[in-house]
Amino acid sequence: MFSKPIIELKYSNTNTYLIKGKKGSLLFDTGWAGTFPQLCRALGENKLKLQDISYLLISHFHPDHMGIAQEIANSGVTIVASDVQAEYIHSSDHIFEKEKDSDFVPIDDSSIRLVNVSESRSFLGELGISGEIIHTPGHSDDSISLWLEKERALFVGDLNPLYELDMHKGTQIEESWSGLLKLDPKTVYYGHAMTAKLTGKGVQTKQKSDNADTYALVKKIMKLIDKGCDDVTIQQKTGADKVFIHDVARMYLTHQNVSVQGILDRIEIKGK
């Protein structure tokens, strides 16, 4: 069915991955509400369809990772949530309501299969996938990561990239990474940053922006946000596009201690 075991579906600002097992397949994360048609198109470009997906696993229930979950479920895919995520499944509903997002379809609890983290190996085994679901709090209390043993690959959602780890000493983020690195991963698939190939003892080279002007612009926007400036004021002072300012602000305000490069990674436009 799939030409390779891991397929990145490029259709939104959230990295989405389709993982092939011997007996089924797993979609890891989704995009923001309104991106369902783009997902279907991305599947088609890979000669796939929604019916090829068995389950949807969400790294955490923030709007940009679960926005089209129920639309996917309405097509016959079962949403999987771990026991540590159970109380957070509807945590983003109020955000879509506040934004008056008419594209958002709330998750129907009957569409969900709850799986205990401690029993995740058995669940993944049903799909012919060797690995486990791991609770990795830090970005949010409901954050989980997916570990694939054969590929030695980690899917970590919004857990801060390894190149930002020095900024998170003594935090849950460092603790979560400490546990993950003991698995000796070779590849890390992030929710927004670029996929990383690890060398040595889980070392990821710090990434650099190809555009110094964009780097400086993001840095200036972040400083203006810290000063309490609104979007209009920031646009007047920087000349930046309103959508770009909004994207920077959203990522800056929702990702604790994120770096400038981290912002650039997270707002990378997919599908270019």
Side-chain angles (χ1 to χ4, degrees):
M1 179 168 56
F2 303 151
S3 59
K4 49 188 177 180
I6 299 171
I7 298 173
E8 181 181 356
L9 299 173
K10 299 182 179 182
Y11 69 95
S12 79
N13 284 348
T14 301
N15 298 331
T16 296
Y17 303 97
L18 190 58
I19 301 156
K20 175 188 177 182
K22 294 180 180 179
K23 303 175 184 177
S25 61
L26 183 71
L27 182 66
F28 190 83
D29 275 341
T30 78
W32 193 276
T35 62
F36 183 70
Q38 290 93 315
L39 168 63
C40 294
R41 184 162 54 249
L43 285 167
E45 290 170 352
N46 285 278
K47 299 181 179 180
L48 299 167
K49 54 187 182 300
L50 283 165
Q51 289 71 24
D52 293 325
I53 304 171
S54 308
Y55 291 97
L56 164 63
L57 179 64
I58 299 168
S59 64
H60 62 297
F61 286 82
H62 282 183
D64 55 334
H65 290 259
M66 54 70 64
I68 57 173
Q70 188 56 43
E71 290 177 271
I72 294 172
N74 289 343
S75 299
V77 179
T78 300
I79 300 171
V80 174
S82 69
D83 52 333
V84 298
Q85 296 178 312
E87 64 181 284
Y88 299 94
I89 291 168
H90 295 284
S91 59
S92 289
D93 290 7
H94 72 285
I95 297 175
F96 290 110
E97 291 172 2
K98 183 178 179 181
E99 293 195 356
K100 295 181 172 56
D101 194 327
S102 60
D103 292 319
F104 176 63
V105 181
I107 290 176
D108 180 348
D109 290 345
S110 66
S111 303
I112 297 173
R113 174 178 173 179
L114 283 175
V115 174
N116 289 340
V117 168
S118 61
E119 299 172 353
S120 62
R121 283 185 172 275
S122 176
F123 160 69
L124 292 172
E126 295 176 18
L127 299 174
I129 296 174
S130 177
E132 63 180 312
I133 297 169
I134 304 169
H135 186 206
T136 49
H139 172 69
S140 66
D141 290 339
D142 65 322
S143 290
I144 57 94
S145 295
L146 174 65
W147 166 240
L148 303 184
E149 284 184 334
K150 182 179 178 180
E151 295 79 7
R152 308 209 65 75
L154 281 171
F155 299 80
V156 299
D158 275 359
L159 189 62
N160 294 66
L162 279 167
Y163 61 76
E164 293 182 355
L165 203 52
D166 286 344
M167 302 167 62
H168 302 284
K169 293 293 186 182
T171 68
Q172 278 189 322
I173 293 169
E174 182 184 38
E175 185 177 346
S176 289
W177 267 120
S178 177
L180 293 177
L181 291 176
K182 289 178 182 177
L183 298 169
D184 189 26
K186 301 303 180 185
T187 310
V188 179
Y189 295 90
Y190 293 112
H192 297 285
M194 293 183 291
T195 298
K197 297 292 184 179
L198 305 191
T199 59
K201 298 179 180 179
V203 176
Q204 178 186 345
T205 303
K206 186 172 182 178
Q207 306 193 24
K208 296 180 180 179
S209 173
D210 292 332
N211 191 324
D213 291 338
T214 303
Y215 188 97
L217 177 59
V218 170
K219 189 173 182 178
K220 186 173 183 179
I221 291 172
M222 291 166 69
K223 288 183 177 179
L224 290 171
I225 292 172
D226 287 337
K227 292 180 179 179
C229 297
D230 59 21
D231 289 357
V232 174
T233 302
I234 294 174
Q235 186 178 33
Q236 291 173 344
K237 290 181 176 292
T238 65
D241 178 79
K242 285 184 178 180
V243 175
F244 184 76
I245 293 170
H246 179 73
D247 286 344
V248 171
R250 174 181 286 171
M251 290 301 170
Y252 185 43
L253 296 174
T254 58
H255 292 74
Q256 183 183 18
N257 295 326
V258 67
S259 65
V260 176
Q261 186 60 50
I263 292 287
L264 288 169
D265 288 338
R266 290 169 172 86
I267 63 174
E268 178 188 10
I269 304 301
K270 302 299 174 186
K272 283 192 174 183

